[in-house]
Amino acid sequence: MRRKIPPTQALICFESAARHESFTKAAEELALTQSAVCRQIANLESFLDIQLFRRTRRGVRLTEAGETYSRRITNRLDAVERDTLSVMGNHGTATLELALVPTFGTQWLLPRLSRYLVQHPHVTINMTNRTRPFLFADTEFDAAIYFGDGEWSGTEVHFLMNESPVPVCSPALLDGQRELTAEQISQLPLLQQSTRPYAWRQWFAAAGLRVEHDLNGTRLELFSMLAQAAMHGMGAALIPPFLIRDELASGRLVIANPRSFDSSNAYYLVIPERKAESATLQGFRDWVITEAETYRDTAAAKGV
């Protein structure tokens, strides 16, 4: 059956005209005449049997259907462009598409990744932030590094490390003390992480406390956002020390209390079963597991 797909040039003209809400600006951007853009849009509207633009005295405006179609087409064209650039830029190389939780990626993985690339010069790794699990079948990802319980259907899951967060804050909130008790921390504004909504409850429970307002406070999605908020004195945050080494070393953040807690969640490398036989993926798997083991051994030796 023949696919119901409009001509690519018509879609490109529509995307540009929709973005500018102007046929004239689209023509300038695409190095076409205005009449050529108009013809492409008219042909697309005829193909779809839908009006995409309203013609007004001041120019054109997207219809409701045009706005919806524009959002969808823009995403598809962006994806086609990314795939095209990837193919063009990777002659003779293997590419890994990796999804990962962002702060872990920037603070732990990236500082080590050059060692992998030296050993595997013909591998390119593309990384995309994902904070929650997803269906591999709906994406182009080859693997993921995520924080969770290790349950992910249809995958191979490899343990990397625990998180072990501790309360951190601006030095100003210590008010001259070396550290704070759990009771004192409970009196501070508590910065919450949206992907770990019960973290403070778990921490206080480990300290033998029940705090009524332990779920209250500003909610932020990423550890990097929590660190910024804590540095600006907005409250205390639960963050693994290995994700904020620079901030701790510079004194912009301090550990308010060294207590952590045991969590059922951890960082894992996840590989879909259908891709588990890939030699490139196996090589990356072995490398990142070894790096994680080395990190855990070093941290244990330092008593961290």
Side-chain angles (χ1 to χ4, degrees):
M1 183 181 295
R2 184 176 178 181
R3 292 182 180 273
K4 195 72 171 178
I5 299 176
T8 304
Q9 184 64 17
L11 295 176
I12 292 173
C13 287
F14 168 68
E15 186 277 331
S16 180
R19 180 160 29 88
H20 295 295
E21 283 202 313
S22 168
F23 290 175
T24 300
K25 291 182 179 179
E28 293 173 355
E29 180 176 272
L30 301 174
L32 298 172
T33 63
Q34 184 182 19
S35 60
V37 171
C38 290
R39 284 196 301 274
Q40 291 290 347
I41 299 298
N43 290 339
L44 181 60
E45 289 179 322
S46 177
F47 181 91
L48 299 172
D49 194 23
I50 293 174
Q51 184 179 2
L52 299 171
F53 291 93
R54 297 191 307 274
R55 279 67 174 175
T56 70
R57 291 183 179 180
R58 296 186 177 183
V60 295
R61 292 288 183 271
L62 284 165
T63 63
E64 184 176 348
E67 289 182 358
T68 300
Y69 194 54
S70 172
R71 287 193 298 271
R72 294 175 177 174
I73 288 302
T74 297
N75 291 335
R76 300 315 192 268
L77 290 177
D78 287 346
V80 170
E81 184 177 35
R82 286 194 301 271
D83 292 343
T84 301
L85 292 172
S86 177
V87 170
M88 293 172 64
N90 289 298
H91 292 299
T93 66
T95 301
L96 287 181
E97 297 291 340
L98 181 64
L100 74 171
V101 284
T103 310
F104 182 89
T106 56
Q107 298 299 320
W108 189 87
L109 182 62
L110 279 176
R112 294 166 169 78
L113 196 58
S114 60
R115 294 199 285 267
Y116 171 82
L117 296 176
V118 167
Q119 299 169 23
H120 303 84
H122 300 300
V123 177
T124 297
I125 297 183
N126 298 325
M127 288 173 278
T128 303
N129 291 339
R130 286 293 180 94
T131 58
R132 302 177 188 276
F134 53 86
L135 295 176
F136 277 100
D138 295 339
T139 74
E140 295 300 318
F141 293 126
D142 298 303
I145 293 177
Y146 95 118
F147 180 79
D149 59 9
E151 297 294 328
W152 196 321
S153 178
T155 67
E156 288 185 358
V157 179
H158 304 276
F159 172 78
L160 297 180
M161 66 187 68
N162 293 312
E163 198 164 60
S164 303
V166 295
V168 299
C169 63
S170 164
L173 294 185
L174 289 186
D175 196 25
Q177 301 180 73
R178 293 189 61 182
E179 66 178 64
L180 302 178
T181 65
E183 290 84 354
Q184 289 172 316
I185 291 173
S186 71
Q187 301 306 308
L188 296 176
L190 302 178
L191 297 171
Q192 307 283 350
Q193 188 172 24
S194 56
T195 55
R196 294 152 177 79
Y198 298 104
W200 276 114
R201 178 162 294 179
Q202 292 173 293
W203 188 85
F204 285 121
L209 286 183
R210 177 180 173 83
V211 177
E212 290 185 1
H213 60 276
D214 57 7
L215 300 181
N216 297 346
T218 299
R219 294 193 175 278
L220 302 162
E221 185 175 13
L222 308 179
F223 279 126
S224 56
M225 299 168 71
L226 284 174
Q228 285 293 322
M231 281 190 290
H232 286 90
M234 291 175 59
L238 279 170
I239 305 178
F242 75 89
L243 296 182
I244 49 172
R245 286 178 175 170
D246 291 344
E247 292 85 348
L248 292 172
S250 67
R252 289 174 292 167
L253 285 175
V254 292
I255 295 176
N257 187 300
R259 181 188 299 275
S260 187
F261 63 89
D262 294 328
S263 171
S264 59
N265 293 336
Y267 289 100
Y268 295 91
L269 172 68
V270 184
I271 299 173
E273 291 176 348
R274 60 189 173 86
K275 295 190 175 185
E277 298 303 316
S278 163
T280 302
L281 264 178
Q282 290 176 355
F284 179 76
R285 175 202 63 198
D286 294 344
W287 173 82
V288 76
I289 289 174
T290 299
E291 286 288 331
E293 289 174 347
T294 300
Y295 164 78
R296 297 199 306 269
D297 291 343
T298 302
K302 292 180 179 179
V304 178

